Amino acid sequence: MKKPLDKSQLYTACDSNRFDFDTTDQLENLPEIIGQNRAMQALHVGVNIQHDGYNLFVLGPPGLGKHAVVREYLESLSKSRETPPDWVYVNNFEKPSEPIAISLTSENALIFRDDMHQLVEDLCSAIPGAFETDEYRLRLQEIDDELKKTIESAFGQLNEEAEASHMRLLRTPHGFAFAPLRNNEVIKPKEFEELPEQEKRQIEKTIHALEEKLTGILRMQPQWQREARNKVKELNREIVMFASGHLIDELKRKYQDHAVIQNYLEAVQQDVIQNLQNFRRDEDAQDHMNMPLMKMPAFRRYEVNIIVDHTQHDGGVPVVFTDLPNYANLIGAVEHTVHMGALQTDFTLIKAGALHQANGGYLVIDALKLLTQPYAWEGLKRALISREIKIQSLGQIYSLANTVSLEPEPIPLTIKVVLIGDRMLYYLLHAYDTEFKQLFRIAADFEERVERTFENQRVYARMIAGMLHRNNLRPFERSAVARIIEHGARLAGDAEKLSINVTAISEVLCEADFYAAESNQSVVSREHVQRAIDAKFYRGDRIREQLQEAINRGILLIDTDGAKVGQINGLAVVQLGDVSFAVPSRITATARLGSGKVVDIERETKLGGAIHSKGVFILSSFLAERYAKDDPLSLSASLVFEQSYGRIEGDSASMAELCSLLSALSSLPILQSMAITGSVNQRGESQAIGGVNEKIEGFFDICRFRGLSGSQGVLIPASNRMHLMLRADVIEACEAGQFAVYAYNTVDEAMEILTGETAEHVNSQVETRLSQLERIRQNLAKHDKDTSGNNGKGTD
């Protein structure tokens, strides 16, 4: 008879006496997470290769501290690199809808904005003063006098010509008119009518000629006025150039090495001249006296919109983490204001995106959040491929809106993008997005577990010390550290491994520290750690308690004593949030005469998954291989999970199903005090399954409630022995002989434990029954043939 596993095989304890420290205060903090050499090497390569497409995808399940590791690595690296330029947008005076982007070295963006503010203030002071000088007034008077002189000269010449022709130019309420003279007096209309016709025609001819000349003068008058206005404009331009020239020239000299700013200042000077009225003092300006100068509508055009400012950082390249990677937050946006019911915008409303902020450095994005934001993934890829940030609204790109918006000048992009996500997401993108392979060529794959060597346990202790230090927690005794290490093995599901899920470990550390505080202890003990572990399980244990209560009350039928044919206790793991537990399930099998078909009722009712169905097919193959190599199987069998009303998936119950079927065929009862888990292959060999600790503990809890008899136990595949990290109460019961855990290699070993019979006897009984079924089938076939033959005979 196979012996149960002993205590040392059920739990691999951590010997705290081998540690050379008393509390974690005596340990040096671990600078990085243990066991991530592969991922760190990938990070190093991806970050330092300065070629297109060498962005990174950091992959692994949640809780490994990927974000923290990436942040720490990038921030440490960023300090040694040169700070990238700041970026500003300024007005494009020729095409206001296409603002100009200007790059400036760090701090110079703020200086340039302040210089423009000061320039506008100086212009608002210098220009009005220049127009109030006596010289300006004198030159303005000269232009006005010249205009008057020109007009008077023209009218004077016309009047002289009229006098010479005995005419006089008269000004009337309706304009000008010519009247004939006699003896230097205007001829009255009556006298004019009495004149001879020839003389009247001569006078009319003379008046007509003079009127044409008058019309010419009147037509020239607007031109003379326009010329005067042009002279005034030229004068004003000269005055403005005089008042502003030295101010703008001073800025040009300051930025003489920056061609874009040189051109911009030229455009500013021309715009100041064209919008001179904005700088002239008038009474309307009093309405804006309390408003900052650059906020006034007339002067916003000279504002400098700083969208990237690195002066807020301590130097180096930026490391940007974005929590909401939607399209606008990544690429940037042009905002709008509402004025009298209409949307308005200008270059001062251009807002930077995460790509702008991280330009020249590193941008870290959660891959799942990115992919769930509409158009964000496509926008990011477009920016990386084109190597520029072009701010466009989605309405513009997809013609969703007809409103006119700005089209800011694109900004060159030099960046390393780091996506963080799980493995499935990485492999899906790699398989279905061809651009993804070209843009994210480096995969940093984080490990979930490390080997549980003594050296790694020492490093694990240092990792715990570092986590305690970062979270300002109390020091842990070495026995408490040992318990955390044992818990790490349980989380890994393997006594020979350690989980490096820092989130799960950190939760236990924080809660253990809380219980130590409640006990007024300055150091966390092993008891505090155990209390934290138990409390976490208890908080998520409501469903398990309800299921176990249903079993204990007989609502869910599970036997833990006696023996029955074709009935066995299987074990299934339930995962709810952070808590996983096992619930026993009754599996039954029936066997009868048939055509060799094994019916999986779960599959037939579409409650069985593909993997579960595969396990049943393997079971059928085993029967055919072992018992019917030369003859067909003459049975029809049915398998079912009793009282199962949800979907069944996985093959961890296939060994239990096979054992129940062998019991039904051999008529040998199975001990109901036993439960079994494990999958089976076509050769009848056991295969490892997951959740072995939870499955053992789940059946143990049922047995303990009903009373431990010493005959109860669980069978597990021998390949699962290395995974055992059972609860203390289970180990105590096993040590006291009240409960047992058996490791089996084959179905024969399992049947020996479950039936108390030898494998030879079990197989003999199965073969005998199958032979009986085959003989029955043959007899029935012969009978059918004879009956058919007799029925087919003719009569005389």
Side-chain angles (χ1 to χ4, degrees), residues 40 69-81 319 362:
M40 297 306 295
V69 171
V70 169
R71 181 189 294 273
E72 185 176 349
Y73 181 80
L74 293 181
E75 288 181 348
S76 64
L77 191 66
S78 68
K79 302 298 183 184
S80 61
R81 304 203 169 178
V319 179
Y362 311 106

Side-chain angles (χ1 to χ4, degrees), residues 237-254:
R237 177 184 177 87
E238 183 180 336
I239 295 298
V240 172
M241 290 290 290
F242 174 78
S244 64
H246 67 285
L247 297 174
I248 295 178
D249 288 344
E250 184 179 345
L251 277 185
K252 287 182 179 179
R253 286 192 296 273
K254 184 173 182 178

Side-chain angles (χ1 to χ4, degrees), residues 526-768:
R526 184 184 181 93
E527 289 71 24
H528 297 135
V529 174
Q530 187 61 52
R531 185 178 174 187
I533 295 170
D534 293 342
K536 180 176 176 61
F537 184 81
Y538 176 74
R539 289 194 295 270
D541 197 30
R542 183 178 64 86
I543 303 299
R544 185 189 71 91
E545 286 185 351
Q546 291 181 351
L547 290 172
Q548 288 198 345
E549 180 185 4
I551 293 172
N552 296 331
R553 294 174 64 189
I555 299 171
L556 293 178
L557 301 179
I558 297 293
D559 292 334
T560 54
D561 57 15
K564 291 186 178 180
V565 174
Q567 179 175 304
I568 196 168
N569 292 321
L571 298 165
V573 173
V574 178
Q575 180 77 42
L576 294 175
D578 294 335
V579 175
S580 60
F581 56 88
V583 179
S585 298
R586 174 180 288 181
I587 301 172
T588 59
T590 61
R592 55 203 173 275
L593 181 64
S595 58
K597 183 178 181 182
V598 177
V599 177
D600 177 12
I601 295 179
E602 307 299 333
R603 178 173 178 269
E604 296 299 322
T605 57
K606 299 183 178 179
L607 289 177
I611 298 176
H612 176 261
S613 298
K614 175 186 176 183
V616 176
F617 284 131
I618 291 174
L619 178 153
S620 303
S621 299
F622 167 79
L623 292 176
E625 168 66 20
R626 173 170 288 192
Y627 303 110
K629 281 188 175 182
D630 300 322
D631 298 313
L633 280 174
S634 300
L635 85 158
S636 178
S638 299
L639 293 167
V640 68
F641 279 70
E642 305 288 356
Q643 293 185 287
S644 171
Y645 308 107
R647 187 171 178 80
I648 303 294
E649 182 58 299
D651 64 348
S652 63
S654 59
M655 184 64 82
E657 291 172 316
L658 176 57
C659 290
S660 65
L661 182 55
L662 292 178
S663 171
L665 286 169
S666 65
S667 298
L668 295 174
I670 289 178
L671 296 173
Q672 299 302 295
S673 59
M674 292 290 179
I676 185 171
T677 183
S679 69
V680 64
N681 62 25
Q682 293 188 114
R683 301 179 185 277
E685 299 168 334
S686 66
Q687 298 173 145
I689 43 81
V692 64
N693 292 293
E694 290 81 1
K695 290 177 178 179
I696 295 171
E697 292 164 357
F699 190 68
F700 172 80
D701 289 337
I702 299 298
C703 295
R704 181 176 58 179
F705 178 83
R706 294 179 174 178
L708 295 173
S709 62
S711 63
Q712 297 143 334
V714 175
L715 282 70
I716 65 170
S719 51
N720 278 121
R721 278 181 300 190
M722 65 186 71
H723 303 142
L724 293 179
M725 289 293 292
L726 293 172
R727 288 193 327 238
D729 55 347
V730 180
I731 297 171
E732 291 172 2
C734 290
E735 192 175 15
Q738 298 175 322
F739 195 77
V741 178
Y742 295 91
Y744 67 94
N745 291 288
T746 65
V747 64
D748 292 331
E749 291 183 5
M751 287 300 290
E752 287 182 346
I753 300 170
L754 291 170
T755 63
E757 302 288 347
T758 64
E760 290 79 5
H761 181 65
V762 172
N763 289 323
S764 174
Q765 291 293 98
V766 172
E767 289 173 352
T768 299

